[in-house]
Amino acid sequence: RLRGGEGVFWETGRKRWRVRIRYGKVLHLGRFKIKEDAIACRLLAEDHIAAGCHPETGKYVPEAERPKPPKTQLKNNAHLLGKPAQKFSDEVLGEHATDFAAKVDAGTLDIDQVAGVSLHKVTGKWRAQMRYKNKLHLLGSHTTDLAEAIRYRLLGEKAKALFPDKNPQDYVAARTGPAAGAGKKRKRADADRAEGAAGGAAAATASPLPRAPPPPPPAVPSPSLAEQLAAAQEMLATERKARRVELRAVMAAREREAEARRVEAERLRARHAADEDRLRTRLAAVEREAAALRAVGGDDGQCARSRPYYWQR
């Protein structure tokens, strides 16, 4: 990002660095001779968008009037899980699916950021899909439970990573079908019986209950929209104040430079006038000397020093 890999490119014809950004549509931010200036312009536009302002004008845009960000083509949901799906067990993937569905319902996560899960407009149900050998396969069945559809997709990603030569649809069907449900019920019943037997044996030799753990620290509330807006406005005000101070400094420097040029021009003008007066005085003295020499030598116009008898005296 700092190297200008996004939104900054070289125009060979104009020999300039061009800057643009997408904000509902592609906006042209300008052309620059220096690449660092172009990168700075792009970063400033990104900061304006992050603060809820227009990237070109810097004015605040209400949330209802802001364009939606462009949809990204996601191959999997590793960006949500933090690591590939094959690193998790089926139970943990189910917990993540429930968490993602809750975030989508709360509006903190956009459904477009969940790869392979979409809403079928005809049935109004959620469906999970995955591409295998250039064909799109349906994972599981259409369901009204968003968490279930996300779980189908996560299981499919896990199957594709573990068994690349097999259709992930079969893996999802084996993990979520009726047979898988019966197996889970048997495992749950066996676990309950084992837990009951262990509890009866432990009751005979019961020990004092351990001390309850301390309560967790209170959660720090996240800033509200009004606080975020106030912070953005404060940041813009600080930036405008800094620019205003910088502009005043530049104007003061230019005024000082203009004053220095004016003083230099006055000095040169006075010097020129003094030289002109000195030349006029010198010219008048030369004219007086010439007149005196003409008066001594006669009216023939010949200088007295050029006469022969002048040197014989």
Side-chain angles (χ1 to χ4, degrees), residues 266-282:
E266 290 292 338
R267 189 182 65 81
L268 293 177
R269 193 179 295 110
R271 181 179 177 182
H272 178 70
D275 293 343
E276 188 176 357
D277 294 341
R278 193 181 303 108
L279 289 176
R280 287 178 181 176
T281 303
R282 179 64 178 167

Side-chain angles (χ1 to χ4, degrees), residues 150-168:
I150 298 176
R151 187 170 74 94
Y152 292 161
R153 171 67 191 199
L154 297 180
L155 290 175
E157 294 178 8
K158 179 179 180 180
K160 189 173 181 180
L162 296 178
F163 312 104
D165 297 335
K166 296 184 179 180
N167 193 339

Side-chain angles (χ1 to χ4, degrees), residues 4-281:
E6 296 181 2
V8 178
F9 60 95
W10 175 257
E11 283 189 345
T12 306
R14 298 178 181 268
K15 295 183 178 180
R16 294 289 187 276
W17 290 97
R18 185 176 180 183
V19 185
R20 63 185 182 183
I21 195 170
R22 178 174 291 277
Y23 190 72
K25 61 179 181 179
V26 178
L27 298 179
H28 172 64
L29 301 180
R31 296 181 176 89
F32 301 87
K33 292 183 178 180
I34 304 175
K35 185 177 181 180
E36 286 73 13
D37 295 342
I39 297 175
C41 178
R42 167 72 186 204
L43 296 179
L44 179 61
E46 294 178 2
D47 293 340
H48 283 167
I49 294 177
C53 303
H54 195 277
E56 190 172 11
T57 62
K59 296 181 179 180
Y60 178 76
V61 180
E63 188 174 0
E65 299 178 6
R66 299 174 193 171
K68 293 184 178 180
K71 295 183 180 180
T72 56
Q73 300 294 333
L74 300 174
K75 296 182 179 181
N76 51 46
N77 291 294
H79 63 288
L80 297 178
L81 295 172
K83 51 186 177 180
Q86 65 269 20
K87 301 293 184 178
F88 300 91
S89 62
D90 295 352
E91 291 76 9
V92 176
L93 290 179
E95 295 175 0
H96 281 297
T98 304
D99 185 25
F100 297 156
K103 290 182 179 180
V104 172
D105 294 338
T108 58
L109 178 64
D110 194 356
I111 189 60
D112 294 335
Q113 299 299 320
V114 182
V117 179
S118 60
L119 183 66
H120 195 265
K121 296 182 179 180
V122 178
T123 61
K125 296 182 179 181
W126 297 101
R127 62 181 178 182
Q129 296 175 319
M130 174 170 283
R131 187 171 295 278
Y132 175 71
K133 292 185 178 181
N134 296 329
K135 290 185 179 181
L136 198 61
H137 296 273
L138 179 65
L139 304 177
S141 58
H142 292 199
T143 176
T144 56
D145 188 3
L146 177 59
E148 191 70 14
I150 298 176
R151 187 170 74 94
Y152 292 161
R153 171 67 191 199
L154 297 180
L155 290 175
E157 294 178 8
K158 179 179 180 180
K160 189 173 181 180
L162 296 178
F163 312 104
D165 297 335
K166 296 184 179 180
N167 193 339
Q169 188 177 20
D170 301 335
Y171 182 88
V172 175
R175 294 290 179 176
T176 60
K184 289 183 179 179
K185 290 181 180 179
R186 287 195 300 270
K187 290 181 180 179
R188 191 178 300 111
D190 296 340
D192 293 341
R193 286 195 297 269
E195 183 178 358
T205 58
S207 59
L209 295 177
R211 186 175 299 176
V220 179
S222 59
S224 61
L225 180 60
E227 294 176 352
Q228 295 179 2
L229 177 60
Q233 292 177 350
E234 183 179 358
M235 181 183 67
L236 291 178
T238 305
E239 183 179 354
R240 290 174 182 172
K241 184 178 180 180
R243 290 185 178 180
R244 199 177 295 115
V245 172
E246 183 180 358
L247 180 60
R248 289 177 181 175
V250 172
M251 293 179 64
R254 291 183 178 178
E255 290 178 358
R256 290 194 297 268
E257 184 179 356
E259 183 66 19
R261 291 181 179 178
R262 187 183 65 80
V263 172
E264 182 68 16
E266 290 292 338
R267 189 182 65 81
L268 293 177
R269 193 179 295 110
R271 181 179 177 182
H272 178 70
D275 293 343
E276 188 176 357
D277 294 341
R278 193 181 303 108
L279 289 176
R280 287 178 181 176
T281 303

